Amino acid sequence: MQHVVIGAGPSGVIAAETLRKLQPKASVTLVGDEPEAPYSRMAIPYFLVKQIAEQGTHLRKTADHFAKREIKVLQKRVEGLDRAARQLTLAGGDKLAYDNLLIATGSRPVSPPIPGIDLPGVTSCWTLADARRIAATAKPGARVVLMGAGFIGCIILEALAKSGATLTVVEMEGRMVPRMMNDTAGNMIKDWCQEHGVTVHTSTKVNAIEKHGNALRVVLNSGATVDVDLVVSATGVRPNIELVKDSGIATDQGILVNRQMQTNDPSIFAAGDVAQGIDFSTGEYSVQAIQPTAADHGQLAARNMAGQKGALHRGCVNMNVLDTLGLISSSFGLWMGKAGGDSAELLNRERYRYLNLQFEDDVLVGATSLGLTQHVGVLRGLIQTKTRLGAWKDKLVADPTRIMEAYLASTQAVGFNAGVLK
Amino acid sequence: MLKALQLEPEKCTGCLQCEMACSFENEGVFNPSKSRIKVFNFHDEGRFAPYTCSQCAEAWCMHACPVEAIVINPKTGAKDVLESVCVGCKVCTIACPFGTVNYNADTGKVAKCDLCGGDPACASACPTGAITYVDAEHTGLERMRAHAAQSIPKA
C-alpha cells in the first residue's frame, strides 16, 4: 500500500503519523513545497517576537522524527494529478505513484485587488519566509499598517505591536475579528487595542498603496493617508484547491469530502484547511481552517485510508482563541446564536470581561468570552456533548460564569447525583 | 501499575488544602488561583466537587497542540506540558472539553495537572480522602454506577 500525503502542515503530519501507526508496513510519503521542516503557522507570532527560535515552530522537534517512523518527506511542489494513472507529477517532472492520496494542501492568503499590493514592502504573514521578512523590517520605531483584523491579522497584531513598531490596523468590517466575535466583543477588542497604543480603523478600506520616497503611503477610503515602512496584508485565506481543478474532484469553497473524509474519487481524501468538512453545530459542510479541526481531519482521514471501519466524521466544533495584547478572547460553535434560541450575558466593559452563552432549549450551542482563561474548554465540552442542562440553564442565565459547576452537576456524580456513600 | 487521581466529591468539605498544596508544589506560592485542581462550590446544596484533568485517553489537548508541547509521561501516563516548548497559543485550552487546561498569563504558558510526576500533592494534602491516588483501573466504577442510577426514572 502506498499512501501519499500532500501538505506538511499539522493535518498532513498527523495523517502520515497515524497511517504509520495503523499500517506498519505501508509506504508513507509526505510531500510539502516549503523548504523547511514541517512547521506550525500558529507559532509564527511567537517567532516574530523572538520568544522562540525557528526550531520552536517545528511540528516535531527531533531531526530524525520522520525518518525514524519511515515516513519519507519530500520537499517538492506537486504540479499535476493524474487520477487514471494514480500518479502525481512533482516539480522537475518526477512522478510519484499512490494507492491512496490525502490532499492536505492547506490555504493561502488572499491578496486584495488594491493598486500597489505588489509593491516591495507589502507582505502577507503566512509562511516562515514571510515571518523572516517581517522580523527584518518591523523593528522598534518602524511604522506598520496591518490590513485586516481577522483571526490571522489579530494573532500577528500582538507580535507587530510587541516588536516596537507604530501600528495602524485597517479593517473593512465594523468590528475586529468579525467572523469570530460579535459586535460587543469585537468592539471591546478594538477599544483594548487602542488603549494599548494601536490605532484601529474599522469600517475602513485601503484604496491604494503608493510608493512615497523610501516609504509606502497607504491611502484609506476616508481620504486619510498613513506613511509606513511595511504593510502586512491579512485579509483572509482561501483553500489551495488548484491541484484538483479540472480533475473531476468535486469542490465548492474547499474540496468536498464525505464522512470518511473521502472525495468523490474513493482513493483520494482531503483534510485540514483545504477540506470542506462537517461543522458540528450546523451539520453543514464548510471550511473551518482552524488548528483543532486540521488535527481531527488528519487523524480521521488516515484511519479511513488505512481501511478502519466506523471512523466517521461527526463534525468539528468551530472554535478560536485569540490573545490581542493580553486580552484573551474565545468563541465556540454558534456564538452568533441560533434562531429561536436564547442567551445569557455578563458584561463588564471597564474590566474587559465578557461572557455570552447561546442556548437552544437547555443545551449550550455557542459561546463568546473575553478575559476568561480558566476552564474555557468546558464550553466546547458542553456544546459537543449536547449536555441537557436542565435546572442549570437558569442558573447559567443568572450567572454565566458557573459553566464548570453546570458541567459537573450535569455529568458527574456530584450533589444530588451523588449517593455513592453508603 | 498506572495510577490515577480518584475524586470523591461527597467526601470533600471544601477546605481547599488541595489547591494550596497544588499551587505551592507547582508554582511555589500558596495561591489557589494558580492551582491545577479546583474545588467547585455548590453552595445551595452545601456540596463541593474537586476536579482536575483525568489524563483522558483521547488527550484532546495533546492532539490539538501545534508544537508538540504536550507529551505523555511514560512513568505516570500523565499528559505533561513541556514549558520550554509551549508557545502559549492556548489552542489546548479551548480543545480540552473538560476545561482542565488553563492559560497562565504570568508565565505565558498553559498549565495542567501532571500528577506531580507520580506523587500528587493534592492527594497528600486532602484530609478527608476525597482525593486519593489509586490504581487507575479502580477509579470511577462506583461513580459511574451512581450517576447512571440518576438517569433511571424513579417509579
Side-chain angles (χ1 to χ4, degrees):
Chain A
M1 185 58 92
Q2 298 214 50
H3 297 294
V4 173
V5 177
I6 314 177
S11 209
V13 163
I14 288 171
E17 290 169 351
T18 309
L19 283 165
R20 169 53 68 238
K21 249 182 239 164
L22 295 175
Q23 296 195 324
K25 289 189 180 131
S27 149
V28 180
T29 308
L30 181 65
V31 195
D33 68 353
E34 287 183 53
E36 329 274 358
Y39 70 94
S40 165
R41 303 205 199 287
M42 291 278 315
I44 283 181
Y46 308 96
F47 166 67
L48 275 178
V49 296
K50 299 188 175 67
Q51 181 190 325
I52 53 170
E54 281 194 20
Q55 207 256 340
T57 68
H58 293 174
L59 291 169
R60 299 297 177 255
K61 304 301 187 199
T62 47
D64 61 350
H65 176 90
F66 297 101
K68 242 168 98 180
R69 285 162 180 77
E70 290 187 49
I71 295 169
K72 194 172 166 193
V73 181
L74 295 178
Q75 283 180 357
K76 282 269 174 79
R77 187 165 178 79
V78 177
E79 291 186 333
L81 163 65
D82 182 344
R83 285 171 54 202
R86 291 195 184 187
Q87 186 172 271
L88 301 173
T89 305
L90 306 178
D94 284 353
K95 305 284 185 192
L96 180 62
Y98 66 84
D99 296 311
N100 275 331
L101 177 67
L102 176 64
I103 302 174
T105 46
S107 49
R108 67 158 179 283
V110 184
S111 262
I114 292 170
I117 194 78
D118 297 323
L119 284 172
V122 183
T123 179
S124 53
C125 183
W126 192 239
T127 61
L128 262 180
D130 293 338
R132 290 180 197 118
R133 202 160 41 235
I134 292 169
T137 319
K139 298 256 157 69
R143 299 158 301 169
V144 182
V145 157
L146 172 64
M147 286 167 57
F151 176 74
I152 310 273
C154 284
I155 61 172
I156 50 184
L157 180 153
E158 162 147 320
L160 291 170
K162 272 190 184 162
S163 67
T166 304
L167 183 59
T168 306
V169 179
V170 183
E171 165 61 40
M172 244 167 55
E173 306 231 9
R175 60 177 187 263
M176 289 182 76
V177 252
R179 265 164 287 284
M180 172 183 158
M181 289 285 136
N182 61 21
D183 269 332
T184 306
N187 281 310
M188 284 168 78
I189 296 176
K190 177 183 172 180
D191 292 346
W192 174 274
C193 289
Q194 305 226 88
E195 260 181 36
H196 286 76
V198 175
T199 307
V200 183
H201 301 286
T202 47
S203 304
T204 306
K205 280 185 192 174
V206 171
N207 275 359
I209 304 165
E210 295 160 0
K211 215 167 159 17
H212 187 74
N214 282 333
L216 293 166
R217 172 159 287 180
V218 179
V219 184
L220 307 180
N221 65 344
S222 59
T225 60
V226 190
D227 290 343
V228 294
D229 305 299
L230 178 72
V231 176
V232 178
S233 165
T235 53
V237 297
R238 190 169 291 160
N240 289 320
I241 55 174
E242 288 66 27
L243 180 66
V244 301
K245 218 177 157 214
D246 307 320
S247 70
I249 299 287
T251 60
D252 177 28
Q253 271 188 303
I255 296 176
L256 294 174
V257 293
N258 63 16
R259 292 169 68 96
Q260 280 91 25
M261 305 308 295
Q262 195 173 35
T263 67
N264 57 325
D265 178 333
S267 61
I268 301 181
F269 298 72
D273 284 16
V274 78
Q276 203 162 323
I278 305 172
D279 183 296
F280 176 84
S281 303
T282 62
E284 284 164 19
Y285 287 80
S286 61
V287 174
Q288 287 183 336
I290 57 172
Q291 162 78 21
T293 296
D296 286 357
H297 278 187
Q299 197 183 56
L300 204 52
R303 289 169 61 192
N304 282 290
M305 289 167 79
Q308 250 192 21
K309 296 270 176 272
L312 287 183
H313 182 29
R314 295 172 204 283
C316 296
V317 175
N318 199 9
M319 53 190 180
N320 275 297
V321 60
L322 188 61
D323 188 339
T324 29
L325 304 168
L327 178 61
I328 292 151
S329 55
S330 67
S331 69
F332 297 81
L334 301 175
W335 52 267
M336 70 307 276
K338 186 162 187 167
D342 51 355
S343 64
E345 190 165 276
L346 189 68
L347 171 64
N348 184 333
R349 256 180 217 283
E350 292 68 42
R351 292 187 63 226
Y352 288 97
R353 293 287 192 277
Y354 179 60
L355 185 57
N356 176 291
L357 306 178
Q358 295 290 335
F359 302 97
E360 180 183 29
D361 198 6
D362 66 342
V363 175
L364 187 73
V365 293
T368 309
S369 81
L370 282 190
L372 182 72
T373 55
Q374 301 287 303
H375 316 298
V376 63
V378 82
L379 293 168
R380 182 227 176 143
L382 285 171
I383 292 169
Q384 203 156 12
T385 52
K386 296 187 177 173
T387 299
R388 288 227 161 254
L389 294 162
W392 270 92
K393 185 191 163 182
D394 287 339
K395 295 184 191 180
L396 284 179
V397 171
D399 181 359
T401 64
R402 298 194 74 196
I403 44 177
M404 271 308 275
E405 287 88 343
Y407 157 74
L408 290 171
S410 307
T411 61
Q412 313 276 313
V414 183
F416 291 137
N417 289 340
V420 180
L421 288 181
K422 295 283 178 300
Chain B
M1 182 188 72
L2 217 53
K3 292 174 86 174
L5 283 174
Q6 175 167 257
L7 305 175
E8 298 174 84
E10 59 283 353
K11 295 182 187 171
C12 178
T13 62
C15 74
L16 307 191
Q17 292 289 322
C18 55
E19 295 190 2
M20 301 291 259
C22 177
S23 62
F24 186 68
E25 175 73 22
N26 293 293
E27 310 285 341
V29 286
F30 289 113
N31 181 349
S33 78
K34 296 243 156 56
S35 174
R36 292 142 194 218
I37 189 164
K38 293 277 174 191
V39 176
F40 294 93
N41 191 334
F42 298 82
H43 57 83
D44 43 2
E45 297 168 20
R47 301 206 187 235
F48 303 91
Y51 197 66
T52 188
C53 171
S54 65
Q55 316 297 342
C56 72
E58 292 82 2
W60 309 85
C61 59
M62 187 173 85
H63 293 300
C65 177
V67 293
E68 215 181 14
I70 303 180
V71 298
I72 297 181
N73 182 322
K75 194 180 125 216
T76 59
K79 280 76 188 177
D80 291 358
V81 176
L82 304 176
E83 273 222 21
S84 59
V85 180
C86 173
V87 294
C89 80
K90 310 167 199 72
V91 168
C92 56
T93 69
I94 59 168
C96 168
F98 309 105
T100 53
V101 188
N102 292 326
Y103 177 66
N104 180 346
D106 293 345
T107 59
K109 316 270 175 183
V110 298
K112 68 178 286 297
C113 171
D114 60 1
L115 299 173
C116 296
D119 182 15
C122 56
S124 310
C126 180
T128 61
I131 305 165
T132 47
Y133 192 50
V134 301
D135 179 352
E137 303 290 317
H138 286 179
T139 62
L141 181 62
E142 280 308 311
R143 311 211 58 72
M144 283 194 281
R145 223 172 243 159
H147 184 228
Q150 296 296 312
S151 52
I152 300 168
K154 289 188 178 67

